[in-house]
């Protein structure tokens, strides 16, 4: 797949993911296309950290998930550790995609991780695609394939799509935080849909409730201030309000954002 066509395909899928109301569906939507545009066969996405201490591992395709489900705890710890990427991506902030072969050199094929991957997934090569803004320990995706190592063009594509992955992950985090803050009081995403709010507008509304400026909201979501203002205008129109305070109060009455006490508790929990 040519680079421009591949990038257009990934962009279209990322935009579709940003319109998904269920945060747990965002990465399954992305991962299959990420494998496709980077020349891979399987993707593991692990969004907390690449360490053996724990964390949820998501996989595409489903067959890979079934194989991983049969692993014992020792083998899962080995995969969670993300060798050799957790060590390669140090605190200096370099988050350029790299293959296991290029990061670990001749030691990769004989490593315990490489042997496990050959046995479990029948793959030989791994491409690390970290999220650019992640600190140590790094977070992101691992793309796997058999045969030859990933090409220079495929590494270029992986680097091009990193901002798209980051934008979707930021929205996923916000939607998860938003649902947690509202608690078990029904389905907040259905209330948002009832007000015709898109998932992107819902994320902006949640940040408005946190009293963030348009500039701060833009940085959090990775969008321009102009785009933030456009989303805010749409929120005002859909909720029938004219300013930020009135919007937050109406959103609280509609159960779209937590009450003041719950909002303070949620901020305290995050800090």
């Amino acid at each position: 797949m040519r680079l421009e066509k591949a990038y257009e395909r990934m962009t279209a899928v990322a935009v579709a993911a940003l319109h998904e109301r269920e945060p747990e569906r965002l990465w399954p939507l992305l991962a299959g296309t990420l494998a496709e545009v980077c020349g891979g066969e399987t993707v593991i996405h692990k969004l907390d950290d690449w360490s053996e201490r724990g964390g949820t591992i998501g996989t595409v395709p489903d067959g890979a998930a079934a194989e991983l489900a049969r692993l014992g705890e020792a083998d899962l710890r080995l995969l969670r550790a993300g060798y050799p990427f957790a060590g390669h991506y140090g605190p200096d902030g370099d988050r350029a995609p790299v293959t296991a072969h290029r990061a670990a050199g001749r030691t990769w094929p004989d490593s315990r991780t490489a042997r496990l991957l050959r046995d479990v997934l029948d793959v030989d090569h791994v491409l690390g695609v970290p999220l650019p803004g992640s600190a140590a320990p790094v977070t992101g995706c691992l793309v796997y394939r058999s045969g030859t190592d990933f090409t220079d063009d495929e590494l270029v594509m992986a680097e091009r799509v990193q901002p798209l992955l980051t934008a979707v992950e930021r929205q996923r985090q916000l939607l998860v935080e938003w649902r947690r803050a509202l608690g078990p009081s029904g389905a907040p995403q259905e209330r948002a849909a009832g007000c015709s709010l898109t998932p992107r507008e819902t994320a902006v509304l949640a940040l408005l409730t946190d009293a963030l400026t348009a500039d701060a909201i833009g940085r959090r979501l990775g969008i321009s201030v102009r785009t933030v203002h456009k989303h805010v205008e749409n929120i005002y129109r859909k909720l029938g309000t004219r300013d930020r305070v009135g919007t937050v109060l109406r959103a609280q009455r509609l159960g779209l954002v937590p009450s003041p006490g719950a909002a303070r508790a949620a901020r305290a929990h995050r800090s």
Side-chain angles (χ1 to χ4, degrees):
M1 184 181 293
R2 296 179 64 86
L3 288 178
E4 288 306 317
K5 289 289 187 182
Y7 183 72
E8 289 174 7
R9 166 75 174 141
M10 192 73 218
T11 300
V13 173
V15 170
L18 290 174
H19 286 82
E20 173 55 56
R21 296 188 182 278
E22 301 287 346
E24 58 272 11
R25 294 180 182 172
L26 269 62
W27 275 98
L29 282 173
L30 285 181
T33 305
L34 177 63
E36 177 186 340
V37 301
C38 292
E41 302 163 8
T42 302
V43 171
I44 287 180
H45 48 93
K46 187 166 184 296
L47 303 174
D48 30 31
D49 63 69
W50 287 344
S51 70
E52 64 183 43
R53 292 190 301 274
T56 302
I57 294 175
T59 60
V60 170
D62 292 338
E67 292 296 331
L68 294 182
R70 287 194 282 269
L71 293 181
E73 184 57 33
D75 287 339
L76 283 176
R77 284 200 300 269
L78 192 62
L79 285 183
R80 289 191 192 110
Y83 173 83
F85 304 105
H88 174 80
Y89 294 118
D92 60 357
D94 177 20
R95 296 292 181 264
V98 67
T99 69
H101 232 300
R102 300 185 192 204
R106 295 180 179 179
T107 64
W108 165 250
D110 295 324
S111 67
R112 289 177 57 206
T113 302
R115 291 197 298 270
L116 176 64
L117 291 171
R118 285 194 295 269
D119 292 342
V120 175
L121 299 177
D122 194 27
V123 295
D124 308 293
H125 299 282
V126 190
L127 169 61
V129 188
L131 298 181
S134 62
V138 69
T139 64
C141 305
L142 299 174
V143 185
Y144 300 87
R145 82 174 182 200
S146 56
T148 59
D149 199 9
F150 294 84
T151 66
D152 289 343
D153 278 352
E154 287 161 346
L155 265 70
V156 168
M157 176 53 56
E159 189 165 8
R160 286 193 67 184
V161 303
Q162 280 177 303
L164 300 176
L165 303 180
T166 299
V168 173
E169 171 57 10
R170 286 172 176 168
Q171 176 139 321
R172 185 194 71 85
Q173 291 175 351
L174 275 170
L175 292 178
V176 168
E177 292 173 5
W178 170 67
R179 292 204 313 191
R180 184 184 299 122
L182 285 171
S185 56
Q189 62 271 22
E190 293 179 4
R191 292 195 291 275
C195 294
S196 300
L197 293 177
T198 68
R200 200 58 153 170
E201 290 163 356
T202 301
V204 171
L205 176 60
L207 294 175
L208 281 176
T209 306
D210 277 349
L212 296 185
T213 65
D215 186 58
I217 292 172
R219 289 196 302 272
R220 179 76 185 270
L221 293 175
I223 57 179
S224 69
V225 173
R226 181 178 179 181
T227 301
V228 172
H229 285 306
K230 184 64 176 177
H231 287 313
V232 171
E233 290 172 6
N234 289 337
I235 293 168
Y236 287 179
R237 175 174 53 81
K238 292 176 180 181
L239 296 187
T241 56
R242 296 183 178 180
D243 56 35
R244 177 187 290 239
V245 173
T247 299
V248 171
L249 291 174
R250 176 149 178 77
Q252 288 171 343
R253 288 195 296 271
L254 293 172
L256 295 170
V257 296
S259 63
R264 286 193 296 270
R267 287 193 292 270
H269 176 75
R270 289 199 298 269
S271 60

